[in-house]
Amino acid sequence: MNFITQEDILKLGLAMVLGGLIGAEREYRSKSAGLRTTILICVGSALFTIVSSRFRDDRIAANIVNGIGFLGAGIIFRQETSIKGLTTAATIWSVAAIGMAIGSGFYGLAVAGFAVIGATLLVLPGVAARIARVNQARQYRIVTAFRHQTLDHYEAVFQECGLRPQRQVQQRVGNEITGRWRVNGPEEAHERCIQRLLNDPELKEFEF
């Protein structure tokens, strides 16, 4: 049982190559899981799967999914208005699946999975950017002097610029009122609205 075959070397080498190619794309985009991380995940998953088949114990390979889940969860973090790291976490999970396919000897399936994952990472960002130009959501925060209908006035500004505002938290402190909105609409409409608000002398603070 304590031996290594040429096929084992082929599996580990293929896992290193495919994992490295995906990692190179992540490294180029300066993501947290880059070249070395994806290589280690893909090779490690392949190695665990090979060991699992040698011992005829599927539990070893099955635990890869749980382990990768914990690793991916550590990459995801929440910012004030969004959640970051979901794509990188999903990439790690997918790279582990490629490694398991290689370790099981399903080379064609592994290469096909690599092609789909690679196309998703390389091609779809452009598609997503085009969609964002047509419709994107932004968070706006406005602080201004309190007057009657103050927030209604700014909602009217959003609508005049071709945007769809959803009012969220409102807070009044003394003579100031703070309003937050989630605003949807085309990128050009957002830019028009931002310029209009930046030129508003009544605004004390403005975040977007």
Side-chain angles (χ1 to χ4, degrees), residues 93-188:
W93 183 64
S94 300
V95 167
I98 291 174
M100 292 180 70
I102 294 171
S104 299
F106 300 123
Y107 304 118
L109 182 61
V111 172
F114 164 78
V116 172
I117 294 166
T120 300
L121 294 173
L122 293 173
V123 177
L124 291 188
V127 177
R130 290 185 180 182
I131 294 173
R133 285 195 291 269
V134 175
N135 182 56
Q136 59 182 236
R138 296 189 184 183
Q139 297 286 339
Y140 285 76
R141 176 178 174 271
I142 289 174
V143 180
T144 187
F146 174 76
R147 294 185 180 88
H148 294 297
Q149 306 300 319
T150 298
L151 296 183
D152 291 339
H153 163 72
Y154 289 111
E155 287 190 4
V157 171
F158 292 136
Q159 292 168 354
E160 289 168 9
C161 292
L163 299 169
R164 303 182 301 278
Q166 293 179 332
R167 192 183 297 188
Q168 297 181 329
V169 178
Q170 306 171 48
Q171 183 180 14
R172 180 185 173 186
V173 178
N175 293 323
E176 292 185 350
I177 186 168
T178 301
R180 287 182 171 84
W181 293 265
R182 178 180 173 86
V183 184
N184 291 273
E187 183 178 25
E188 292 181 359

